[in-house]
Amino acid sequence: MESYEPERLSPVQLAAMRRSLTSGRGALTRRSLLRASGMGALALGGIATLGACGIPPAGRAEGAAAADDHSEKEKEVAFSNWTEYMDVSDDEKTRPTLAAFTKRTGIRVKYTEDINDNVEFFGKIKPQLAAGQNTGRDLICVTDWLAARIIRLGWAQKLDPSNLPHAFANVSAQFRTPDWDPGRAYSYPWTGIPTVIAYNVKATGGRKVDSVSQLLDDPKLKGRVSFLSEMRDTIGMTLLDQGKDPGKFTDTDFDGAIGRLQKAVDKKQIRRFTGNDYTADLSKGDIAACVGWAGDIIQLQADNPDIKFAIPAAGYITSSDNLLVPAQARHKTNAEKLIDYYYEPPVAAQLAAYINYVCPVDGVRDELAKIDKSMASNTLILPDREMAAKSRSFRSLTTEEETAYEEKFAKLIGA
């Protein structure tokens, strides 16, 4: 593995991360409601630490050297995940799918909900990874941009396909070949997180809103439109509307998207740029239509039948949270068996029924219907073929690109 000189985060990157922590994707969603009240100081402290010590820049790496695997003798696996990202029994005393895994395999799972946000978690494990030490974790779940960075730095172990027959066969096509891990050599998705258009049909007077152009240009929506304060989501959706591929765009394309949004800001078409706080305004009808996250929309629809969503004909952005085996993990084979277990359709259905995010496992629909028919037909949990074909990912950015793009985006949204 190559060695890298530390690189400090720019003020613009730090500001973008703070926005994400306080109001960005996941800040008030199902998986974080229980952690929201106590995470602020710790999370921002983690950012300050990263700003001081620096995150190594992305670069070419060939993956972590194979560590000594103690899986055969030590029937255990340590799994770090986000809060509310695992099924729990009605009495909240057990985690049914994990318990069933242990009963079947004899492998005990040390399950820890210690990921509050990507930046803070990376701050915890980076010193050990950089020093070539065991993090104490055999399996971690991080968002795509951080998964890409860990893989590029050579801090993830390459997975053994022979231990992953279900995962290899059943991973959905839309998640199979991200640009940062083609063919899923180092990672497998835990969930997908779509960015869609949401609208309050009562506030729109019964009209459907199904394109970014409509959000930006429809005079009947003037002053009642919101976009997200997360750069990748808002710019990605705008690029798609302009006929550009978020996976291959240029600096000129990015500037074009910024200019398109700026015009809508100047004419007061856009009311504001928001984190998850758009949900209250959308439910009340103060915001008629917006760009929002699918997980929020599912929850809003449970209480308000006026909330609808649309997938633009131009496509939509999907990000993902992903499973990785860190360098020097002691129980790689056990971790691979656990990954593969969650790609068995009956198990994947049980998980999806609880967490309500996009399930990345093919063949799960019939199994989910046995649990809840409405969930099995909800394309925000199980995208149909047409919807999946419209899914696009925002490409990986260099450190220089991220700094430049976040600076332009911060100026746009007044951050």
Side-chain angles (χ1 to χ4, degrees), residues 19-71:
R19 285 201 309 273
S20 183
L21 294 183
T22 55
S23 62
R25 179 179 64 79
L28 293 176
T29 57
R30 182 188 233 288
R31 75 176 178 200
S32 57
L33 285 172
L34 299 181
R35 65 180 167 88
S37 61
M39 69 169 282
L42 179 61
L44 292 178
I47 282 182
T49 300
L50 288 178
C53 70
I55 297 178
R60 185 185 64 80
E62 297 177 356
D68 291 337
D69 192 349
H70 301 264
S71 293

Side-chain angles (χ1 to χ4, degrees), residues 83-239:
T83 302
E84 290 289 279
Y85 234 14
M86 180 64 72
D87 56 303
V88 178
S89 61
D90 291 339
D91 62 9
E92 299 186 354
K93 292 182 178 179
T94 63
R95 300 186 184 279
T97 57
L98 288 178
F101 174 77
T102 298
K103 183 176 181 180
R104 181 200 295 184
T105 65
I107 299 170
R108 181 177 61 87
V109 183
K110 179 185 177 183
Y111 185 76
T112 308
E113 294 178 321
D114 62 344
I115 304 180
N116 290 321
D117 66 86
N118 291 285
V119 176
E120 177 201 347
F121 182 67
F122 191 50
K124 290 180 183 178
I125 64 175
K126 174 186 169 290
Q128 294 156 305
L129 291 171
Q133 299 172 350
N134 180 14
T135 66
R137 300 166 175 86
D138 302 303
L139 193 62
I140 61 175
C141 183
V142 294
T143 303
D144 41 22
W145 66 266
L146 181 54
R149 183 176 290 274
I150 290 172
I151 291 169
R152 289 197 302 263
L153 289 171
W155 293 345
Q157 295 194 52
K158 194 169 186 177
L159 301 174
D160 182 349
S162 67
N163 292 327
L164 296 157
H166 296 98
F168 183 80
N170 294 335
V171 63
S172 299
Q174 72 179 102
F175 296 104
R176 189 173 288 274
T177 56
D179 67 348
W180 46 269
D181 186 18
R184 291 291 181 180
Y186 295 91
S187 69
Y188 273 92
W190 182 249
T191 54
I193 303 137
T195 302
V196 299
I197 290 177
Y199 60 101
N200 184 318
V201 71
K202 185 175 182 181
T204 65
R207 293 185 306 120
K208 183 178 183 179
V209 180
D210 60 3
S211 73
V212 170
S213 288
Q214 196 173 353
L215 292 175
L216 295 175
D217 298 327
D218 188 341
K220 294 182 179 179
L221 297 176
K222 184 175 181 177
R224 297 188 298 150
V225 168
S226 69
F227 280 72
L228 293 166
S229 58
E230 292 279 351
M231 182 265 288
R232 288 168 175 81
D233 296 290
T234 286
I235 296 297
M237 292 290 281
T238 305
L239 284 168

Side-chain angles (χ1 to χ4, degrees), residues 313-332:
Y316 66 102
I317 292 291
T318 299
S319 55
S320 59
D321 285 336
N322 306 271
L323 300 173
L324 300 174
V325 178
Q328 301 302 318
R330 286 180 62 88
H331 310 106
K332 176 175 178 283

